[in-house]
Amino acid sequence: QPSFVAAQLCFQLFSVQVWGHVFSVLHTLDFSSPPPPSSLTSFSSSENFEQSPLRRTFKSKVLAHYPDNVEWNPFDQDAVGMLCMPKGLAFRTQMDSREPQFHSFIITREDGSRTYGFALTFFEEVTSKQICSAMQTLYHMHNAEQYDILHTPTSPQGPEDQRRQHTPSRPMLHAAPAISRLQRFNSYDISRDTLYVSKCICLITPMAFAQACSKVLQQLHQAVSSPQPPPLPLESYIYNILYEVPLPPSGRSLKFSGVYGPVVCQRPSTSELPLFDFAISEMFNLLGVENVLQLFTCALLEMQILLYSQHYQRLMTVAESITALMFPFQWQHVYVPILPASLLHFLDAPVPYLMGLHSNGQDDRTKLELPQEANLCFVDIDNHFIELPEELPQFPNKLEFIQEISEVLMSFGVSPEGNIYSSDSQAKYRGFRAADMVSDKRNGNLASPLNSYLLRENETIARLQALVKRTGVSLDKDASSNKDGRVQCDEEELKMHQLNIQVREVFANRFTQMFADYEVFVIQPSHDKESWFTNRDQMQNFDKASFLSDQPEPYLPFLSRFLETQMFASFIDSKILCHDDEEKEHTLRVFDARVDKIRMLNVRTPTLRTSMYQKCTNIEEAAIEMRVSKIDHTALHPHLLDMKIGQGRYEQGFFPRLQSDVLSTGPTSNKWAKRSAPAQWRRRDRQKQHAEHLYLDNDQREKYIQEARNLGTTIRQPKLSNLSPSVIAQTNWKFVEGLLKECRNKTKRMLVEKMGREAVELGHGEVSITGVEENTLIASLCDLLERIWSHGLQVKQGKSALWSHLLHYQDSKEKKNATPGSLGRKSDGGGSVMPPLKISLIQDMRHIQNISEIKTDVGKARAWVRLSMEKKLLSRHLKQLLSDHELTKKLYKRYAFLRCDDEKEQFLYHLLSFNAVDYFCFTNVFTTIMIPYHVVVVPSKKLGGSMFTANPWVCVSGELAETGVLQVPRNTLEITFECQNLGKLTTVQMGHDNTGLYAKWLVECVVVRNEITGHTYKFPCGRWLGKGVDDGSLERILVGELMTPSSENDERMCRTPPMQQSPGMIRRFVTISPNKLNTGQIQEGVGEAINGIVKHFHKPEKERGSLTLLLCGEYGLVWALEQVFQHGFKSPRLFKNVFIWDFLEKAQVYFESAEQREVTPDENWQTRVRHFCRFMRAINNAPRNIGKDGKFQMLVCLGARDHLLHHWIALLADCPITSQMYEDTALIKDRSLVNALIRVLQTLQEFNITLEASLVKGVGI
């Protein structure tokens, strides 16, 4: 340990009720033991070589803190040291800028409770001769090294190249200084230069009074830097803050004295939004409204968020502002707004996080090598730039929301685009080329058409902007301008509070509008709290499906993902756990009160949602103005303490070592300190106050908080201490366990979701478990895979860790020239009809690489995961990828998840369970890509098709598109073609041109395969195509279904489409009596067919199967009505087939003649007859050669579409033709059976049936 250290002083208080709670001084050098030159130890060793000694950072330490300890909040020396000086000690000379810097920080303990720190860092002259000469020695060493590097003989190169060549080990976050600067700045001459070192004073408080703390610290610093000593010794002021200034009660304000002037702080009342004392306007200035809203969306969806800035205070302001705007929700994951340099490995954490990283102002984003970027939102605060994860959904009503926020900002003179020049390094930005920003699509602010749209649309805004420009109002908080008058400063602060309140209310209003009726959907646990805790993992606490079904369509992409987050789950949990207002957390109480208010104002039924944008009307700033103008309490003034003579000496320019004996204990009779109260009481009191303002719960719920928190994440906060290897290993082990648990929960959730529908239809389970969009779940699985693949990663190319691993694997396999990764198993194709596709990991990668629409690595990885899931190969592919142990060792550190064998096996086993369900997550998402299809026509084996002379054709239709007519070569009867994704295949139209001598063809089936996903569809036919054979059809419409692997053996010839997967009653009858069904069986058949259609329409739109299958497939509606009309049909004479269509045509002739004879029972009858004849004529006159059964199918489909079937059945039952052509026992002659049939068919009237184009082609009705 070097003795060259920073010091820090901490004042800690003994009671929550007191305002300050620790005061610490970070002092730089411990003069009691002057260090030898060699002991100037640098903060991070990798930084030593390129940085000049003045640019390096050194280890700091806490010199003193007061009081020594606070029972309920032990002083955490490591954390305070790291966060006061996150980069360690710094040295400067008189040439450098040495302005004091204020920043705040937050210490989050593992239980989620928080303490705030406020630090002021300034520079003091180094008086120790040893340290100055040590610095001189370091410079001699450094300059000699640089000299060697510069004069090493190499091939002639520019100085830039030389520098690059010699800095291969450049650390991640520090740029090497350019050589030209070496000579100018990198000198330190002990005889000429004055050396300065950083020191920090810090105040730790239970609540974040940022403005007040900043004033207190600045006045303390002013006291030591001004020529006159302060009115009282410094100890008096610090003692006053620690022991004599109480916390203002809720809804009250308090004034106390600083060294030079009064300081005011105030607390919101219990009905207002929680305390927030940072300037939100600064975040909007730095980023602009559009970027803030994108960042806000990422935070709500629990992405990984990395803030990047040279200024610690900016990191803190943006982090705190974004989390404050989430009200009533709270960030549930790792939260480190300022990440100390020694904890950079935490960027490896495979969990959602919100962290702030300090930049040194020289490196750009490209130099930053981050372990995981697939799901990362990177915010470069200083450069007004944000990089978003892919597939980020839009926040609901984004345009109107941006407009509303902009109006509030402009009324305070803040530009909605943000103000690049608000930063202090203006020179840097003058060279900033706006054109670069304009061309970058992801940067929302500068060239966004939206902003110009907002300003065009809203003249008031335009006028305001002009006014702002004219008057030159700037929101830069410039300390110097505030020194003139106290009132002005307070006005500035009041303005800040008013802006904060207005912006926060606008954000809170979005949630109260969106979740106005959330209570209706909360699922209260059926059992007692205890068992609810234990089974919390399995419990659903919110009816997501019903909630989403009420929402406007545009909200769904965002909401379906938001309802899956930990913050939403915790919010609902806290709702379930409190029955009455007394128990509620402060946040929940305030939110519920607002929701109630909205529901009273809105007369509309609370559950009927509308996407109408409702502006915020609930802005109460009057309270703050009242509190600030009329101070409620004034604290005791600082006074002389009982100090020994000689204590409290003053030396200008140096912050003194304070007297610990007077600061370590508070006054004995102090009405605020309550030191007699037991610690237990104080703890509860503190928790109550946390519950009110920092959202922490009181005693009974402590246990629950732990439970709920441990649900989604195993580790919440990095411990801020210099971590030993064993601690790091333990942390990583927790990550591995957490990832495995998350994988288990996700796969289970996805399976329940997927099987839920089927299970519910079969009568198991409840519908509440289903209905969140499949896409959301698959996207979150992709995110989880990216996090697993980036844990412990050491070699990466591109932004996606998973795709990077796949590319390495592809390279190594292609080098070995192995046959493309097939393990020998063939996927199941259509029996002997089609040679099956090879299973190949590399081939699937190539398919993805060939899709030109997917441009990024992250997109490719996601597409590959979707394709593998659809092919049921995800687990198998990943197992194969990880079986290359050499590669895994090369890419991953020892502790990585992918190198923990047991966990890896379990993980692959969980993924294997996806094979139990069918996903179409690739086909349904990449709808515009080109896909190769392979078609085979299978003629009947019994009657050789070899004599067939006509030219066959097919036309394939799917849910998304159809191909048009494709000629099939007569000799091979198979073709492969490429076309835009057809989606799930539904029908094949096939036929021939009737040329040549023998134009009759018996076709068994057509098989079509998607060559990327391997899905094979079978379209059974089993009928003739040709004139004068069967029903004289030259073309047929075949309805198909996806082949399941088992259907290979199912070689039996079947008439029209395949068996349906769901077990139906009818299958039994068909096997008993293939031709003659009795009337009961026929009725049941019609009932089943209609039921199938009714169920179809009761499913959510995205989960409906093929309607064509239910109409024309096996045991569909057409089949059922065919049975009705065939029952009791008089058997035809020898050698002549009679078809139902013949009967219908005779009926048509009768009706038309009856109309002419004007034998019309009534008006209704006439209309029905007219409809019937019109449809019959249209179908007969259609240009297609579809044969009599095809025409019957078309008539049934059109009748179903136009809700006419029941009318037609009634007409035909009464028609004289029926009595001629049917036996007396026929179903159609039985009055009661016909009435029952009509009633069943009427149930279709409430559905809007849309027919696939291929079913009604050529009929223009």
Side-chain angles (χ1 to χ4, degrees):
Q1 281 293 324
S3 48
F4 187 73
V5 287
Q8 194 182 10
L9 104 130
C10 269
F11 310 121
Q12 235 176 308
L13 305 182
F14 264 100
S15 156
V16 195
Q17 288 304 88
V18 183
W19 186 83
H21 104 199
V22 184
F23 183 72
S24 43
V25 181
L26 240 77
H27 195 31
T28 42
L29 305 169
D30 192 346
F31 296 120
S32 56
S33 52
S38 61
S39 72
L40 273 175
T41 306
S42 167
F43 195 62
S44 78
S45 53
S46 62
E47 202 185 321
N48 276 348
F49 304 109
E50 284 90 15
Q51 301 282 42
S52 70
L54 277 177
R55 295 285 163 271
R56 296 178 199 167
T57 51
F58 298 86
K59 282 204 170 142
S60 60
K61 84 166 185 194
V62 177
L63 283 191
H65 63 96
Y66 312 102
D68 271 344
N69 200 16
V70 170
E71 281 174 70
W72 43 261
N73 187 15
F75 180 67
D76 185 341
Q77 183 145 323
D78 283 337
V80 173
M82 280 185 177
L83 290 168
C84 283
M85 292 186 162
K87 295 200 95 157
L89 276 190
F91 284 93
R92 297 278 182 274
T93 64
Q94 77 284 356
M95 307 287 287
D96 303 297
S97 130
R98 299 189 307 285
E99 279 302 296
Q101 293 289 324
F102 171 78
H103 77 271
S104 43
F105 57 84
I106 187 168
I107 300 176
T108 311
R109 292 182 198 70
E110 289 213 5
D111 66 351
S113 60
R114 295 174 171 185
T115 311
Y116 287 86
F118 300 92
L120 185 73
T121 308
F122 48 90
F123 284 87
E124 285 186 354
E125 190 179 327
V126 175
T127 51
S128 155
K129 287 282 175 285
Q130 288 97 322
I131 287 172
C132 294
S133 53
M135 181 58 79
Q136 176 98 52
T137 311
L138 283 176
Y139 257 105
H140 289 324
M141 286 154 66
H142 175 74
N143 289 342
E145 261 169 49
Q146 292 297 322
Y147 184 85
D148 287 348
I149 288 174
L150 287 179
H151 295 82
T152 311
T154 53
S155 54
Q157 291 172 316
E160 275 301 310
D161 296 343
Q162 285 173 334
R163 187 164 62 82
R164 229 179 272 135
Q165 188 188 359
H166 284 281
T167 54
S169 63
R170 199 189 64 242
M172 192 157 82
L173 298 166
H174 308 285
I179 276 143
S180 56
R181 294 211 310 270
L182 269 172
Q183 277 69 37
R184 268 209 316 270
F185 294 122
N186 283 0
S187 55
Y188 166 67
D189 184 336
I190 196 163
S191 56
R192 189 185 66 226
D193 295 322
T194 314
L195 193 60
Y196 293 88
V197 68
S198 56
K199 180 185 266 188
C200 173
I201 51 177
C202 160
L203 189 58
I204 294 175
T205 65
M207 296 172 88
F209 293 111
Q211 307 301 318
C213 291
S214 158
K215 285 184 193 159
V216 168
L217 293 174
Q218 275 160 359
Q219 293 189 21
L220 281 172
H221 176 246
Q222 203 182 328
V224 292
S225 52
S226 66
Q228 279 78 38
L232 293 168
L234 291 182
E235 282 84 349
S236 296
Y237 299 104
I238 290 166
Y239 183 90
N240 180 248
I241 287 168
L242 288 183
Y243 301 112
E244 295 170 339
V245 176
L247 275 176
S250 293
R252 299 298 171 85
S253 54
L254 167 84
K255 184 162 84 177
F256 62 95
S257 309
V259 184
Y260 296 110
V263 179
V264 173
C265 64
Q266 50 87 30
R267 247 171 102 176
S269 69
T270 47
S271 62
E272 293 172 66
L273 293 175
L275 173 71
F276 182 73
D277 202 32
F278 294 85
I280 285 186
S281 60
E282 194 180 330
M283 173 174 72
F284 285 102
N285 251 334
L286 291 165
L287 294 173
V289 177
E290 170 121 348
N291 279 343
V292 166
L293 196 54
Q294 298 284 42
L295 168 58
F296 183 63
T297 310
C298 290
L300 288 171
L301 297 180
E302 299 186 333
M303 308 275 184
Q304 292 179 323
I305 296 172
L306 186 60
L307 308 173
Y308 191 59
S309 170
Q310 297 181 60
H311 306 269
Y312 295 122
Q313 187 56 14
R314 285 184 182 176
L315 294 172
M316 187 70 181
T317 301
V318 172
E320 284 287 288
S321 301
I322 279 292
T323 48
L325 292 176
M326 289 177 179
F327 172 90
F329 304 103
Q330 292 144 39
W331 179 260
Q332 297 290 324
H333 299 276
V334 174
Y335 182 67
V336 190
I338 296 174
L339 187 67
S342 57
L343 291 183
L344 288 179
H345 60 269
F346 249 92
L347 293 172
D348 198 5
V351 290
Y353 58 65
L354 200 166
M355 301 205 219
L357 189 59
H358 185 261
S359 79
N360 57 10
Q362 298 164 333
D363 283 3
D364 59 348
R365 161 78 176 92
T366 50
K367 302 255 176 62
L368 214 52
E369 292 170 18
L370 300 166
Q372 38 196 356
E373 299 172 87
N375 203 24
L376 180 73
C377 170
F378 179 84
V379 186
D380 185 344
I381 298 176
D382 303 337
N383 291 328
H384 199 80
F385 170 78
I386 179 168
E387 200 175 291
L388 297 168
E390 291 175 31
E391 298 178 21
L392 183 72
Q394 276 219 346
F395 191 79
N397 295 108
K398 185 174 161 191
L399 292 185
E400 296 94 326
F401 191 25
I402 286 183
Q403 173 138 1
E404 187 180 3
I405 302 165
S406 305
E407 285 170 13
V408 171
L409 292 176
M410 290 173 125
S411 65
F412 284 89
V414 180
S415 156
E417 274 98 351
N419 178 7
I420 279 197
Y421 301 104
S422 66
S423 76
D424 40 16
S425 49
Q426 291 198 12
K428 181 172 171 188
Y429 294 117
R430 289 202 189 98
F432 191 67
R433 299 225 319 281
D436 297 348
M437 298 292 274
V438 171
S439 64
D440 188 338
K441 296 286 190 301
R442 276 176 308 188
N443 187 38
N445 287 306
L446 289 155
S448 152
L450 173 76
N451 290 318
S452 48
Y453 146 83
L454 283 175
L455 300 177
R456 236 194 356 269
E457 293 298 302
N458 193 327
E459 291 168 10
T460 19
I461 293 195
R463 283 205 300 278
L464 271 169
Q465 259 204 333
L467 182 73
V468 169
K469 278 192 185 126
R470 262 206 318 282
T471 51
V473 175
S474 153
L475 258 167
D476 290 0
K477 304 263 184 298
D478 184 5
S480 59
S481 66
N482 294 342
K483 285 179 190 155
D484 324 337
R486 203 170 301 139
V487 182
Q488 189 187 346
C489 174
D490 287 352
E491 260 175 33
E492 185 74 9
E493 201 173 313
L494 176 63
K495 189 170 146 189
M496 178 206 92
H497 284 307
Q498 287 172 330
L499 173 66
N500 278 4
I501 285 182
Q502 290 204 18
V503 171
R504 290 173 69 200
E505 289 288 3
V506 168
F507 274 80
N509 176 56
R510 288 284 18 89
F511 289 122
T512 41
Q513 298 285 353
M514 262 190 277
F515 293 100
D517 46 358
Y518 83 101
E519 289 184 54
V520 183
F521 301 99
V522 174
I523 300 171
Q524 289 294 346
S526 44
H527 17 252
D528 60 309
K529 291 280 157 69
E530 203 49 47
S531 55
W532 185 79
F533 279 140
T534 33
N535 302 312
R536 179 65 198 85
D537 268 10
Q538 283 80 45
M539 309 300 287
Q540 287 290 325
N541 63 2
F542 192 74
D543 183 354
K544 295 171 183 167
S546 311
F547 178 78
L548 289 173
S549 64
D550 276 357
Q551 301 303 316
E553 187 70 33
Y555 290 14
L556 293 180
F558 171 80
L559 281 177
S560 60
R561 286 178 69 172
F562 180 64
L563 299 189
E564 293 295 309
T565 57
Q566 189 69 27
M567 71 175 75
F568 185 74
S570 299
F571 173 74
I572 299 297
D573 282 354
S574 63
K575 176 75 183 168
I576 289 174
L577 281 165
C578 54
H579 294 301
D580 50 23
D581 269 7
E582 276 314 292
E583 283 186 15
K584 280 186 193 173
E585 290 185 20
H586 173 234
T587 342
L588 190 61
R589 206 166 44 238
V590 175
F591 184 68
D592 281 352
R594 283 158 193 243
V595 165
D596 294 342
K597 195 166 168 186
I598 277 195
R599 289 161 90 174
M600 275 162 54
L601 292 174
N602 291 350
V603 202
R604 63 181 176 80
T605 50
T607 47
L608 183 69
R609 303 299 292 158
T610 146
S611 50
M612 269 279 295
Y613 188 82
Q614 288 168 318
K615 279 190 159 184
C616 175
T617 48
N618 177 38
I619 296 182
E620 305 163 359
E621 344 170 326
I624 270 223
E625 230 167 308
M626 281 279 300
R627 284 200 288 273
V628 179
S629 56
K630 181 186 149 294
I631 301 294
D632 299 306
H633 302 285
T634 305
L636 209 61
H637 282 286
H639 49 85
L640 272 172
L641 299 173
D642 182 12
M643 289 165 67
K644 298 189 182 75
I645 294 172
Q647 286 187 332
R649 273 173 318 186
Y650 166 79
E651 189 179 352
Q652 190 198 336
F654 292 94
F655 200 94
R657 184 58 86 79
L658 300 172
Q659 301 305 313
S660 55
D661 52 348
V662 292
L663 289 177
S664 58
T665 53
T668 44
S669 58
N670 177 355
K671 63 173 174 167
W672 301 113
K674 300 187 177 147
R675 299 205 47 208
S676 55
Q680 183 60 36
W681 181 87
R682 283 203 300 277
R683 189 178 309 117
R684 189 163 314 133
D685 191 80
R686 171 165 169 269
Q687 279 170 338
K688 222 192 249 146
Q689 152 211 328
H690 264 293
E692 194 183 314
H693 281 289
L694 299 175
Y695 322 147
L696 247 220
D697 300 27
N698 48 22
D699 274 0
Q700 317 97 36
R701 300 221 285 283
E702 230 174 39
K703 175 184 170 203
Y704 146 68
I705 269 285
Q706 280 311 310
E707 297 277 322
R709 288 232 162 96
N710 292 337
L711 252 186
T713 52
T714 42
I715 183 156
R716 297 192 33 77
Q717 283 303 124
K719 182 130 177 57
L720 297 178
S721 59
N722 290 314
L723 296 179
S724 63
S726 63
V727 175
I728 292 180
Q730 193 185 350
T731 304
N732 278 304
W733 183 243
K734 279 189 179 173
F735 282 148
V736 168
E737 287 179 328
L739 287 169
L740 186 61
K741 182 175 180 184
E742 196 178 340
C743 177
R744 185 176 65 236
N745 290 343
K746 271 214 167 71
T747 44
K748 183 174 172 186
R749 169 105 170 79
M750 286 171 76
L751 287 173
V752 163
E753 188 65 43
K754 194 72 180 158
M755 296 168 121
R757 287 265 163 243
E758 297 157 34
V760 167
E761 280 162 20
L762 297 171
H764 312 298
E766 303 167 27
V767 187
S768 65
I769 51 180
T770 63
V772 174
E773 321 231 321
E774 186 179 291
N775 245 342
T776 304
L777 294 174
I778 288 179
S780 78
L781 176 74
C782 292
D783 295 343
L784 173 65
L785 292 177
E786 283 292 359
R787 294 211 308 271
I788 287 176
W789 253 257
S790 57
H791 182 238
L793 180 64
Q794 52 191 9
V795 182
K796 182 174 96 172
Q797 53 194 62
K799 284 196 170 182
S800 161
L802 174 57
W803 191 249
S804 164
H805 193 168
L806 285 165
L807 289 173
H808 279 107
Y809 178 80
Q810 190 181 23
D811 289 349
S812 70
K813 281 287 170 278
E814 283 170 357
K815 279 185 193 130
K816 288 181 191 163
N817 273 338
T819 51
S822 167
L823 299 178
R825 182 186 92 137
K826 308 240 187 240
S827 74
D828 310 293
S832 56
V833 174
M834 229 180 247
L837 280 179
K838 269 203 175 134
I839 290 184
S840 158
L841 166 58
I842 304 280
Q843 191 51 51
D844 285 350
M845 283 186 67
R846 289 206 191 105
H847 285 313
I848 303 297
Q849 285 160 329
N850 293 339
I851 299 175
S852 57
E853 286 89 337
I854 306 176
K855 306 270 190 286
T856 64
D857 286 353
V858 176
K860 285 175 183 160
R862 287 182 175 175
W864 182 85
V865 170
R866 285 173 179 277
L867 177 59
S868 305
M869 282 188 73
E870 188 160 322
K871 294 177 86 161
K872 302 193 176 186
L873 292 173
L874 182 61
S875 179
R876 184 181 176 144
H877 277 348
L878 292 178
K879 188 173 187 173
Q880 193 181 333
L881 175 66
L882 296 172
S883 62
D884 187 338
H885 297 300
E886 286 310 306
L887 179 62
T888 314
K889 270 186 187 157
K890 188 178 99 183
L891 299 180
Y892 287 91
K893 298 178 185 140
R894 180 64 200 93
Y895 62 73
F897 182 92
L898 297 177
R899 288 185 63 187
C900 301
D901 293 338
D902 287 354
E903 282 68 24
K904 186 175 73 185
E905 285 303 313
Q906 288 183 53
F907 157 71
L908 292 170
Y909 177 72
H910 288 313
L911 293 185
L912 192 59
S913 57
F914 286 134
N915 292 5
V917 290
D918 297 323
Y919 278 103
F920 287 89
C921 49
F922 179 82
T923 307
N924 292 343
V925 166
F926 298 100
T927 52
T928 56
I929 62 174
M930 299 302 286
I931 289 185
Y933 291 91
H934 186 62
V935 180
V936 179
V937 181
V938 185
S940 167
K941 295 192 182 80
K942 292 177 184 160
L943 299 150
S946 53
M947 302 147 65
F948 177 58
T949 55
N951 298 303
W953 56 267
V954 295
C955 168
V956 184
S957 309
E959 290 180 352
L960 298 173
E962 74 169 32
T963 57
V965 171
L966 304 161
Q967 297 300 327
V968 181
R970 195 169 59 226
N971 48 358
T972 59
L973 292 183
E974 56 181 286
I975 50 167
T976 300
F977 61 91
E978 195 174 57
C979 71
Q980 193 169 325
N981 184 355
L982 300 170
K984 290 183 199 167
L985 301 187
T986 50
T987 61
V988 164
Q989 300 153 63
M990 65 166 306
H992 60 76
D993 61 0
N994 201 26
T995 54
L997 294 171
Y998 189 75
K1000 298 183 176 67
W1001 195 26
L1002 179 58
V1003 175
E1004 188 181 317
C1005 66
V1006 178
V1007 180
V1008 185
R1009 182 174 67 203
N1010 176 324
E1011 295 290 274
I1012 291 184
T1013 64
H1015 284 322
T1016 309
Y1017 294 82
K1018 188 175 183 181
F1019 297 86
C1021 176
R1023 303 281 299 262
W1024 284 90
L1025 286 95
K1027 289 280 183 208
V1029 60
D1030 203 334
D1031 64 348
S1033 173
L1034 288 186
E1035 64 173 276
R1036 293 194 183 280
I1037 302 165
L1038 310 178
V1039 182
E1041 236 191 349
L1042 188 59
M1043 289 173 64
T1044 48
S1046 60
S1047 60
E1048 269 182 80
N1049 327 328
D1050 192 14
E1051 292 267 289
R1052 66 190 183 82
M1053 291 177 60
C1054 58
R1055 189 170 164 259
T1056 342
M1059 300 293 229
Q1060 267 172 287
Q1061 298 304 312
S1062 57
M1065 291 295 291
I1066 305 185
R1067 186 144 331 153
R1068 275 210 314 281
F1069 310 143
V1070 179
T1071 46
I1072 302 166
S1073 47
N1075 302 324
K1076 298 196 177 94
L1077 298 184
N1078 61 37
T1079 51
Q1081 291 169 331
I1082 292 172
Q1083 276 184 294
E1084 202 166 329
V1086 174
E1088 292 257 336
I1090 299 279
N1091 266 345
I1093 295 172
V1094 172
K1095 271 188 192 170
H1096 170 89
F1097 283 103
H1098 277 293
K1099 287 183 188 175
E1101 206 163 317
K1102 294 197 170 140
E1103 295 176 22
R1104 294 175 185 173
S1106 159
L1107 184 59
T1108 309
L1109 203 58
L1110 298 172
L1111 291 168
C1112 312
E1114 191 154 29
Y1115 310 128
L1117 184 62
V1118 174
W1119 172 86
L1121 291 178
E1122 219 169 73
Q1123 304 310 311
V1124 169
F1125 284 109
Q1126 276 176 353
H1127 186 261
F1129 209 29
K1130 288 186 177 166
S1131 49
R1133 294 189 303 282
L1134 214 54
F1135 306 127
K1136 184 169 188 314
N1137 266 345
V1138 178
F1139 291 90
I1140 300 173
W1141 191 254
D1142 298 328
F1143 157 65
L1144 293 174
E1145 279 181 325
K1146 283 186 181 166
Q1148 179 195 353
V1149 172
Y1150 166 78
F1151 287 138
E1152 282 172 341
S1153 61
E1155 259 197 304
Q1156 284 153 9
R1157 292 198 310 275
E1158 291 176 3
V1159 187
T1160 52
D1162 62 13
E1163 191 73 23
N1164 257 345
W1165 187 85
Q1166 266 181 321
T1167 325
R1168 289 172 189 182
V1169 164
R1170 234 173 272 138
H1171 276 312
F1172 178 72
C1173 296
R1174 188 167 125 249
F1175 277 92
M1176 290 292 292
R1177 279 195 299 274
I1179 291 171
N1180 268 326
N1181 299 338
R1184 300 172 71 176
N1185 297 305
I1186 51 172
K1188 293 176 178 174
D1189 283 352
K1191 288 176 179 174
F1192 175 71
Q1193 173 170 305
M1194 201 181 270
L1195 184 71
V1196 173
C1197 290
L1198 288 166
R1201 182 193 72 185
D1202 295 348
H1203 306 132
L1204 296 169
L1205 286 177
H1206 56 283
H1207 293 323
W1208 294 346
I1209 295 278
L1211 276 183
L1212 293 167
D1214 294 340
C1215 175
I1217 305 292
T1218 311
S1219 48
Q1220 296 167 24
M1221 297 186 73
Y1222 282 87
E1223 322 241 337
D1224 290 344
T1225 56
L1227 187 151
I1228 195 127
K1229 283 189 173 178
D1230 183 326
R1231 175 60 53 201
S1232 65
L1233 289 180
V1234 169
N1235 284 343
L1237 179 63
I1238 289 173
R1239 277 200 302 279
V1240 171
L1241 286 170
Q1242 278 173 330
T1243 55
L1244 292 182
Q1245 279 183 281
E1246 54 184 289
F1247 304 117
N1248 181 13
I1249 294 176
T1250 346
L1251 298 177
E1252 205 175 308
S1254 58
L1255 295 180
V1256 291
K1257 207 182 266 177
V1259 178
I1261 296 189

